[in-house]
Amino acid sequence: MRPRHLSRRTLLAGGAAALTACSASGPAEPPARATDSPETLLLKELIAEKERTIALYASLIDGGKGKLVPFRDRHQAHLNELRKHVTLTPAPSSPKPSPSVTPKASLSRLREVERKAAARRPRQLAAVSPGLAQLIASIGACEAAHALALPRSL
């Protein structure tokens, strides 16, 4: 038997195919960033809302309205519980947005914030797990009680 010699054409075609296969595989693409589930988006929205509400209370407390501390503390407890249900990842480094303008804090403003928040809660229950629905309903009940219990003046 005679050894077979590969033709030049066969070698070139094989080399081209190998180069094509190598260049096609290339470096792996970074994985696409996973999008948040509707429940996670709601949790993040609730967390941001609680942070704003706590800031309103804090501005009045800092102004000498110490009777509001228990109200603020209940919102802080809500915030702590909400944070247990979501992992917040730091945003990629980008320029920090300018701070949002917080409306002037007053007792009537706090009552309005509490009333509107409590009114939103029932609509938020439909799209979440039973455990989270229970938490959101409890938060809404507390907000409704705050709207009624906040003093008219201090």
Side-chain angles (χ1 to χ4, degrees), residues 91-101:
S93 60
S94 62
K96 298 213 182 243
S98 61
S100 60
V101 176

Side-chain angles (χ1 to χ4, degrees), residues 49 109 111-121 123 143:
E49 183 182 326
R109 174 76 181 133
R111 264 191 298 286
E112 178 186 343
V113 165
E114 296 280 14
R115 190 181 72 255
K116 286 181 177 181
R120 279 190 300 275
R121 301 302 173 237
R123 292 187 303 271
E143 291 163 336

Side-chain angles (χ1 to χ4, degrees), residues 48 51-53 55-56 96-104:
E51 289 170 341
R52 288 189 300 272
T53 302
L56 282 173
K96 298 213 182 243
S98 61
S100 60
V101 176
T102 305
K104 182 161 173 50

Side-chain angles (χ1 to χ4, degrees), residues 63-77:
K65 310 269 195 279
K67 289 183 178 183
L68 298 176
V69 169
F71 293 89
R72 186 220 36 219
D73 290 349
R74 284 188 285 274
H75 283 286
Q76 186 63 53

